[in-house]
Amino acid sequence: MGSAGGQWQPYPLWGGRGDWCNEEVVGVHAYTDAIQATLGSDFDPSGSTVRRTVELIPEPGNPHDRYAVSVRASNYLIGYLARERAILFHSRLIGLIDRGLVPTVPASIRAYDQNRWDDRPGSPVDLAINIDVQLSEPHLIIPGNEPPDVPYTMLPHGYSVQVTKVDEHFEILRHFVEPEGELELLVTLHEIDVSTAKTEKKLVEVRVEGHRIGQLTPQTSAKFLPAVRHLADRGLVTVGRGWFKGSAVSAQVSLMAAKAHELPGDFLAGEPQTVIPLGRPRRTPILAASSVQSIEVTPVTRTFVIDLVTSQPLTPWQQKEALKLLRAATSAVGSDIEEPVVTDSSVKATVLQDHSELIANAVAGIEDSDFSLANEYRATVGSKRALS
């Protein structure tokens, strides 16, 4: 194993969500002295939870288990991943190490002194310890594609929003289908003009490796465009995390990025946030210099799954209106369609492909307490059913 120029570079693994640390570290009680040294002055004998960034180091030369993955903090060995999990991650972590990259993840270290009530002189510290790290599934710990080769910055993680018209670009998205059926992608966001003679309309187009793979609804585009324009003025392309689900015949993409009003000032004016490239080949064909559009294909199916996470909790009244809208939408598909699901934070329903963008816009309107699009859609569907 080697590193570029003899320098090791930390590589934060992908796939984590928020502050939740979900993977237990085993064997910690064999390393109590190291853990206490890692905690340093942050340790409170009565009990404390300390956050640390730790390294996951595969140990192919370990005499007990060649698939072992050690957990290290501040140059101290503090435990191991459970063997059944280490086996799954081992080869991918080795791949990063071979590139001179040290895999890192957030960790939560909870510890207290079980002898804290013993006030006899010289009473030893008896640590009770629990360590968890934030670790996704093996196929999600690195992005599925390389970052852009132009100046860019990456938006912070945010609530998921649906990318529409994805079905028109399956010829491109099929290159990202994996056996696990899901992948995180680096997608770029671009302002496009779809105005007509009567209306002015600007949208956010979503691309991967330069290819168009869809767009955001008008309402959702409006929440991202101020950031896209601001960063473009700084000479930067806007990048976000895309959540891709796909099979041999169909695909869906969601964008998981903070909206313009959620961005802190230091992000808008600060240094670009970038991702370490891994030097992998691109998955898609190289675009001709004059082309910015991908090849469009006939939609594979006539239905589309609307699966949205709202940017704010829906009130009971908004949930009721959303459910009425989605029931009307599923009725237009026909029988044998699952009942739509609406909660205070998400909506999901199977709808006609041709209706998907209108329904997504109507859901966005309901989120802002504007029910006009939803009422108009329900009235239109109702009249068509009455005539049939």
Side-chain angles (χ1 to χ4, degrees):
M1 296 186 297
S3 60
Q7 297 296 316
W8 293 97
Q9 186 175 8
Y11 187 89
L13 298 184
W14 275 49
R17 296 290 181 271
D19 294 329
W20 183 43
C21 293
N22 58 305
E23 188 88 19
E24 184 178 6
V25 177
V26 301
V28 295
H29 290 94
Y31 308 102
T32 54
D33 290 343
I35 293 169
Q36 190 169 357
T38 297
L39 296 175
S41 60
D42 292 327
F43 173 63
D44 181 350
S46 64
S48 57
T49 299
V50 177
R51 303 285 296 193
R52 289 285 188 269
T53 297
V54 300
E55 302 170 351
L56 301 183
I57 307 298
E59 298 182 348
N62 188 308
H64 303 290
D65 182 3
R66 63 190 181 95
Y67 295 110
V69 175
S70 62
V71 181
R72 298 172 182 268
S74 305
N75 295 321
Y76 291 104
L77 172 61
I78 61 173
Y80 284 84
L81 295 186
R83 186 177 191 278
E84 64 273 13
R85 293 288 284 167
I87 290 175
L88 302 177
F89 289 93
H90 192 267
S91 62
R92 288 179 168 89
L93 298 178
I94 285 285
L96 293 174
I97 293 290
D98 287 346
R99 288 178 167 89
L101 303 172
V102 180
T104 65
V105 291
S108 172
I109 305 175
R110 296 180 294 279
Y112 67 90
D113 181 8
Q114 298 180 104
N115 284 344
R116 63 190 183 280
W117 304 116
D118 190 344
D119 56 2
R120 292 175 297 175
S123 295
V125 173
D126 182 11
L127 282 186
I129 307 165
N130 182 268
I131 301 177
D132 296 294
V133 297
Q134 186 179 89
L135 195 56
S136 184
E137 291 306 306
H139 60 284
L140 299 175
I141 62 174
I142 60 175
N145 60 322
E146 291 294 287
D149 55 6
V150 297
Y152 73 94
T153 191
M154 186 165 174
L155 295 174
H157 197 279
Y159 286 104
S160 175
V161 296
Q162 193 96 21
V163 178
T164 65
K165 297 187 179 295
V166 170
D167 54 283
E168 299 174 5
H169 307 288
F170 184 71
E171 183 63 21
I172 293 301
L173 289 170
R174 67 180 179 83
H175 294 283
F176 297 97
V177 173
E178 294 282 352
E180 296 85 2
E182 59 185 359
L183 203 61
E184 283 199 40
L185 297 174
L186 290 162
V187 300
T188 57
L189 308 182
H190 308 264
E191 181 175 6
I192 59 172
D193 189 341
V194 292
S195 302
T196 65
K198 295 183 178 180
T199 62
E200 181 180 352
K201 186 185 294 185
K202 304 291 179 67
L203 297 178
V204 171
E205 181 176 80
V206 182
R207 302 176 192 169
V208 62
E209 295 186 347
H211 294 275
R212 171 185 165 90
I213 59 168
Q215 65 192 41
L216 303 182
T217 67
Q219 287 87 347
T220 304
S221 291
K223 298 177 181 180
F224 285 94
L225 278 174
V228 173
R229 290 166 178 161
H230 172 82
L231 295 172
D233 289 342
R234 293 184 57 196
L236 299 170
V237 171
T238 303
V239 172
R241 290 182 181 227
W243 182 261
F244 170 78
K245 292 183 178 181
S247 68
V249 296
S250 184
Q252 296 181 35
V253 179
S254 299
L255 174 66
M256 303 179 295
K259 302 174 181 67
H261 67 276
E262 299 169 334
L263 297 173
D266 58 353
F267 172 84
L268 293 170
E271 290 295 315
Q273 302 298 304
T274 59
V275 177
I276 299 172
L278 299 177
R280 298 166 295 175
R282 61 183 290 138
R283 293 183 179 225
T284 59
I286 297 176
L287 284 168
S290 61
S291 174
V292 295
Q293 297 288 326
S294 64
I295 302 171
E296 296 191 357
V297 297
T298 303
V300 177
T301 60
R302 62 186 293 265
T303 60
F304 183 84
V305 177
I306 295 281
D307 190 359
L308 300 172
V309 176
T310 62
S311 59
Q312 57 190 6
L314 298 178
T315 65
W317 180 257
Q318 289 171 324
Q319 292 179 55
K320 180 180 178 182
E321 290 299 308
L323 188 58
K324 288 194 292 185
L325 165 71
L326 296 178
R327 281 175 172 164
T330 54
S331 72
V333 177
S335 58
D336 299 326
I337 298 297
E338 292 185 6
E339 176 77 3
V341 177
V342 176
T343 70
D344 65 347
S345 60
S346 65
V347 297
K348 183 175 182 179
T350 301
V351 303
L352 290 174
Q353 263 182 357
D354 293 344
H355 294 193
S356 60
E357 184 172 3
L358 177 58
I359 294 166
N361 289 340
V363 170
I366 289 173
E367 188 177 340
D368 295 330
S369 295
D370 178 359
F371 306 116
S372 56
L373 282 177
N375 291 336
E376 180 181 339
Y377 177 83
R378 288 166 49 211
T380 301
V381 171
S383 64
K384 289 181 178 179
R385 292 180 64 194
L387 293 173
S388 60

